[in-house]
Amino acid sequence: MKKLNLIIISILLTLTLAACSSPSGPSAPEAAPSGASPTPEQIPATETPAPDSDITDAGPADTNPAASSPDGEFSNPSLTDSQREFCEKIIAAVKLKDLQALSDLCNYPLYVDLGEEGQVIETKEAFLALDPEKLFTDAMVASVTGCDLDTVTVPLAGITLCTDYDQPSITSSYNEAGELGISGINF
């Protein structure tokens, strides 16, 4: 009889502990002991603030300024008007093989891989010292100028201009100051 009572008490105790530890609906979190930091369960859930979209490259013609948010979130599958205008400047500079114009569109430092070993270009002067023959190859010009801006998306990694992802490309993204600029050139 003692064994049976002990088994019943054990089962009831187990069930009671299981019921207390599993959430069964909204309840007030327990307060942290005096002087102790609250645990994550004790901190009430609050609504997540909207991403800071005050710093953007979006102009008045943009219909969705959150799409150009410098935090790089994938918030719009298509380019905003200001992003499209920026991409058109890149395409024009590449089409004209204008290293000076392209350098004006860069955020420094940027990564450049001309098919050899990639390098980080720290300054505009260092960018202008690149060999234009190596940068403006027929493949680069064809890939960037052949890019269809209506199909370009704005993913986390930045805006990439190319005809296909196995082709040479130019990628633009936002820097810490919220400025859109070229951040990478890859072959």
Side-chain angles (χ1 to χ4, degrees):
M1 186 70 176
K2 247 182 170 180
K3 277 186 175 179
L4 182 59
N5 284 341
L6 189 55
I7 292 173
I8 292 174
I9 290 174
S10 296
I11 291 172
L12 289 175
L13 184 58
T14 303
L15 291 174
T16 304
L17 290 174
C20 289
S21 66
S22 67
S24 61
S27 62
E30 294 180 25
S34 179
S37 298
T39 63
E41 296 82 24
Q42 295 168 329
I43 298 172
T46 59
E47 200 172 295
T48 305
D52 181 10
S53 60
D54 292 337
I55 304 173
T56 66
D57 188 56
D62 288 330
T63 57
N64 185 0
S68 60
S69 176
D71 63 6
E73 288 185 19
F74 185 89
S75 54
N76 188 347
S78 60
L79 297 171
T80 64
D81 292 340
S82 62
Q83 290 168 335
R84 176 179 286 275
E85 183 180 315
F86 184 80
C87 291
E88 288 169 348
K89 289 178 184 178
I90 293 172
I91 291 169
V94 170
K95 188 174 195 173
L96 295 172
K97 298 183 179 183
D98 188 342
L99 192 60
Q100 177 67 46
L102 201 59
S103 73
D104 291 338
L105 301 172
C106 294
N107 280 337
Y108 298 95
L110 74 143
Y111 178 78
V112 177
D113 181 357
L114 299 179
E116 302 156 4
E117 189 173 311
Q119 58 184 317
V120 175
I121 305 295
E122 297 286 340
T123 65
K124 185 174 188 173
E125 292 74 26
F127 186 83
L128 290 170
L130 293 173
D131 183 355
E133 297 286 323
K134 289 184 177 180
L135 178 61
F136 297 115
T137 64
D138 290 342
M140 173 61 83
V141 173
S143 181
V144 173
T145 62
C147 179
D148 180 4
L149 294 180
D150 291 328
T151 63
V152 172
T153 59
V154 188
L156 187 63
I159 303 165
T160 300
L161 300 179
C162 60
T163 53
D164 198 358
Y165 285 101
D166 64 348
Q167 297 297 313
S169 64
I170 295 179
T171 301
S172 301
S173 60
Y174 290 93
N175 63 13
E176 292 85 23
E179 301 161 330
L180 184 59
I182 296 172
S183 57
I185 298 175
N186 296 291
F187 278 80

